[in-house]
Amino acid sequence: MSSYSLDSYSQQTRRCSNRDDITDSYFDDDFSMDENSSLSSYATTSGSTTIQYQNVSHQKKSDPAYELFETMNYYNDTDIDMIDQEVSHRNREALIQQLYTSESTYLQSIELIMKLFFNPLRTDLPQSPTSSPSSSSSPSSSSFLGGSRKPICTQRELQWLFCNMDEIYQLHKTILKALEQRLSTFGPNQLIGDILHDTIFNSLGRCYGNYLDNYHITVTTYDRLSSYGPFKKFIESVHKNPLLKGATLLSLLQIPSSCINRYTQIFTRIADVTYILHPEYTTLQSLKQSILGLNEEIRPLIENADNVDQVLLIHQALVDAPFRIHADRRLILQGELTRINSVQRRSNNFNMDGLKKSPKIKRTFILFSDMLMIVQAKPGPKRTVLQYKGHVSLESARVRALPRYECGKDHCIELISSYSGVDTMHTTVVSSSRSLVLQTKNADEQEEWVYHLSSVIADLGRSAAKASRTRLLQEQKARSIKIDKSKSVMNSGDSLFDKIL
């Protein structure tokens, strides 16, 4: 995901508190500032205030004129405050300019989404039954389909894919316009806090909270539509547009998740460099605390979006997997473990001779929130691919750390999957369970895998119980409605019979 660095605008000031800070030199009445000094007639380099002098003639310290000069407090506190205020103003102005530049760049990315993807897809949507014949015969972006009448996506899929992107687009158009107007008349005492708070901050939580809440739906919808012919053809065509400069729809949809972090950094720095006597110093300090609080509040959503991206990358690298990405699937843990095969049990103990002769196979194990997947990483010409080798459903599974006396190896864990098979009489799963023995590298890794596997199994158990209760309530509600309808029919029949009598 993209991020915006503000390190180049991080500057600190150094006070010249009195004449002792000036290097001992010979002075006379003539001195001049460095010709490269800026607006305040002081040259500032690397965030420190440097005063440079040129000596026109050299005098000895014994000169009476020098002694008189020594007794003068040539640079008083007022001069120093003016220097600090000027440096503060420059740093503040540079950061506000950085805000404008980053906002302009960000809006360009959103405009690419809207103009190249969202608007053409919305235009291609099937016409509603109430559309007039003239509107239905008007040309649209369906040319991407080569004249086919099959829609690229449905209205619901369009909503799932872009969520509230149109709202985000309108918001940042308003922000950029407000910044442009303010910067056109910007000065040392010009205010910016009203734009930062009213125009930007007040809309961030609602606008981006909604987008991040539904980001997993956006990604899974994109993944599913990517295998749908008309959508795939449309995407491949648009990706050739030189305006994208190699970007893809997916990479553009990932950008908004870093927006609040960008604002947090720049708002904080603007507040930090604003001079304490500035008219909006207090306002910006309060805004700094507010944006930091919002950033902490929304951080779990950003981390969740990052996790969704990681899951998508893994699925895109998979080869021969029998399933696609799931909206609720999250990455928990991954690593290389040694799988031990041909382990036999005798009287609830492992056959030690059989274990010693059994082959040990190293595989990459990926723990998701719903299953444990086994893959083999294979370097490819362009990227590493993950050859699918199997997976274990963790619902109703069991896991434990195996002691050495049971398996003859250190740091092993045993995963026992749920039963498989169907009892035709009771239509329940009854077949024997499957045991998987894995060896980790050390005790810490063993403990980590047991903990996360146990957590996933427990979460799946709670979810299954909740789903069962919900299903039971729905069935009871359906039966209740059916009974009420039956009583209503019977009552209406009795009323009709009474009238006949």
Side-chain angles (χ1 to χ4, degrees):
M1 298 191 177
S2 63
S3 60
Y4 297 83
S5 174
L6 303 176
D7 293 339
S8 59
Y9 294 93
S10 177
Q11 300 185 3
Q12 301 176 347
T13 59
R14 176 173 59 86
R15 288 178 178 268
C16 296
S17 57
N18 51 51
R19 56 185 173 81
D20 294 332
D21 291 332
I22 304 174
T23 306
D24 289 338
S25 303
Y26 295 104
F27 298 93
D28 66 1
D29 293 338
D30 296 324
F31 66 91
S32 62
M33 310 304 291
D34 181 20
E35 62 180 347
N36 293 323
S37 60
S38 50
L39 297 178
S40 66
S41 299
Y42 296 98
T44 59
T45 60
S46 301
S48 61
T49 305
T50 306
I51 304 178
Q52 299 182 359
Y53 295 91
Q54 285 183 333
N55 294 321
V56 179
S57 63
H58 299 286
Q59 299 180 357
K60 296 182 179 180
K61 290 187 177 182
S62 60
D63 193 309
Y66 181 84
E67 293 176 355
L68 177 64
F69 183 83
E70 282 282 286
T71 64
M72 298 174 59
N73 185 9
Y74 191 80
Y75 291 96
N76 56 34
D77 291 339
T78 302
D79 296 325
I80 296 170
D81 287 341
M82 290 178 62
I83 296 172
D84 286 344
Q85 288 185 45
E86 179 62 25
V87 173
S88 173
H89 165 63
R90 290 184 188 174
N91 292 339
R92 171 184 162 92
E93 187 175 20
L95 283 168
I96 294 172
Q97 183 62 44
Q98 169 66 9
L99 172 63
Y100 172 79
T101 303
S102 65
E103 191 65 31
S104 178
T105 302
Y106 181 74
L107 183 59
Q108 291 174 13
S109 299
I110 304 300
E111 283 180 338
L112 289 176
I113 297 176
M114 299 302 297
K115 294 180 179 179
L116 298 183
F117 298 97
F118 180 80
N119 291 337
L121 287 173
R122 182 170 58 181
T123 305
D124 184 75
L125 291 174
Q127 298 294 330
S128 63
T130 57
S131 300
S132 63
S134 60
S135 64
S136 62
S137 60
S138 61
S140 69
S141 65
S142 60
S143 58
F144 285 107
L145 294 175
S148 172
R149 294 185 179 181
K150 197 172 184 180
I152 301 175
C153 66
T154 65
Q155 175 66 46
R156 181 175 296 182
E157 289 170 334
L158 184 70
Q159 177 63 35
W160 288 343
L161 184 60
F162 294 99
C163 192
N164 62 330
M165 186 62 68
D166 190 34
E167 180 185 12
I168 293 175
Y169 179 52
Q170 298 302 326
L171 170 63
H172 288 279
K173 284 174 62 178
T174 302
I175 293 173
L176 188 64
K177 183 178 180 181
L179 289 174
E180 286 176 343
Q181 293 175 349
R182 188 61 54 87
L183 285 174
S184 64
T185 59
F186 202 77
N189 293 321
Q190 182 62 276
L191 305 181
I192 195 70
D194 57 328
I195 295 179
L196 301 185
H197 184 274
D198 300 340
T199 308
I200 302 178
F201 175 77
N202 280 348
S203 301
L204 284 182
R206 172 184 52 80
C207 196
Y208 281 91
N210 186 16
Y211 185 82
L212 293 171
D213 267 336
N214 295 278
Y215 183 74
H216 60 294
I217 299 177
T218 294
V219 170
T220 51
T221 301
Y222 176 85
D223 180 70
R224 179 171 53 81
L225 287 175
S226 296
S227 61
Y228 174 60
F231 183 85
K232 183 178 180 181
K233 183 177 180 181
F234 167 77
I235 291 297
E236 290 176 348
S237 177
V238 178
H239 282 172
K240 297 176 182 178
N241 193 313
L243 292 175
L244 290 174
K245 299 179 180 179
T248 64
L249 173 58
L250 180 61
S251 65
L252 292 173
L253 291 173
Q254 292 170 339
I255 292 176
S257 61
S258 64
C259 184
I260 290 183
N261 184 55
R262 172 173 64 94
Y263 281 130
T264 301
Q265 293 184 47
I266 200 165
F267 280 25
T268 300
R269 292 182 181 273
I270 291 175
D272 290 343
V273 302
T274 298
Y275 195 64
I276 193 171
L277 297 180
H278 194 279
E280 62 178 0
Y281 173 82
T282 303
T283 300
L284 291 178
Q285 294 302 316
S286 176
L287 178 60
K288 171 184 173 180
Q289 298 305 316
S290 298
I291 193 72
L292 287 172
L294 175 62
N295 190 55
E296 286 301 313
E297 180 182 344
I298 212 163
R299 184 184 300 275
L301 296 179
I302 297 175
E303 293 175 349
N304 181 67
D306 290 339
N307 193 298
V308 171
D309 287 334
Q310 293 181 58
V311 173
L312 178 62
L313 287 175
I314 291 173
H315 278 74
Q316 288 177 336
L318 279 177
V319 177
D320 298 332
F323 46 75
R324 299 190 65 87
I325 189 173
H326 189 277
D328 295 327
R329 184 169 294 151
R330 298 293 180 271
L331 177 64
I332 307 298
L333 186 64
Q334 58 180 325
E336 190 177 75
L337 303 177
T338 300
R339 180 178 180 179
I340 302 176
N341 291 331
S342 303
V343 178
Q344 305 293 331
R345 286 181 179 272
R346 292 183 180 178
S347 301
N348 294 327
N349 291 315
F350 283 105
N351 184 336
M352 302 303 294
D353 294 334
L355 178 62
K356 293 178 181 178
K357 296 179 181 178
S358 63
K360 296 189 296 184
I361 306 173
K362 285 189 176 181
R363 291 282 186 263
T364 299
F365 287 78
I366 304 175
L367 177 61
F368 292 113
S369 55
D370 59 339
M371 66 176 180
L372 178 66
M373 186 169 65
I374 309 165
V375 299
Q376 182 180 4
K378 293 183 177 181
K382 295 183 179 180
R383 61 171 184 170
T384 299
V385 298
L386 302 176
Q387 180 64 50
Y388 172 80
K389 292 295 183 180
H391 73 278
V392 179
S393 176
L394 296 178
E395 187 172 350
S396 301
R398 292 171 292 162
V399 63
R400 68 186 181 107
L402 280 179
R404 180 179 176 82
Y405 70 84
E406 286 194 33
C407 61
K409 298 289 182 182
D410 291 324
H411 319 311
C412 289
I413 61 177
E414 181 186 27
L415 178 64
I416 303 175
S417 63
S418 59
Y419 295 106
S420 59
V422 177
D423 180 354
T424 55
M425 179 176 293
H426 299 95
T427 63
T428 56
V429 180
V430 294
S431 184
S432 60
S433 59
R434 176 186 175 191
S435 176
L436 182 66
V437 178
L438 305 172
Q439 185 179 23
T440 61
K441 297 182 179 66
N442 50 56
D444 290 339
E445 190 177 65
Q446 179 192 37
E447 182 180 355
E448 183 181 26
W449 275 96
V450 170
Y451 170 77
H452 286 293
L453 282 166
S454 300
S455 299
V456 170
I457 293 170
D459 289 341
L460 289 174
R462 285 189 291 267
S463 298
K466 183 179 179 180
S468 178
R469 289 193 299 269
T470 302
R471 185 168 56 251
L472 181 61
L473 290 174
Q474 290 175 346
E475 291 175 354
Q476 291 175 348
K477 184 178 180 180
R479 284 196 298 268
S480 177
I481 293 174
K482 187 176 181 180
I483 292 173
D484 290 341
K485 286 183 177 180
S486 299
K487 289 181 178 179
S488 177
V489 171
M490 292 177 63
N491 291 335
S492 62
D494 291 341
S495 298
L496 180 60
F497 181 75
D498 291 340
K499 289 180 179 180
I500 294 174
L501 294 177

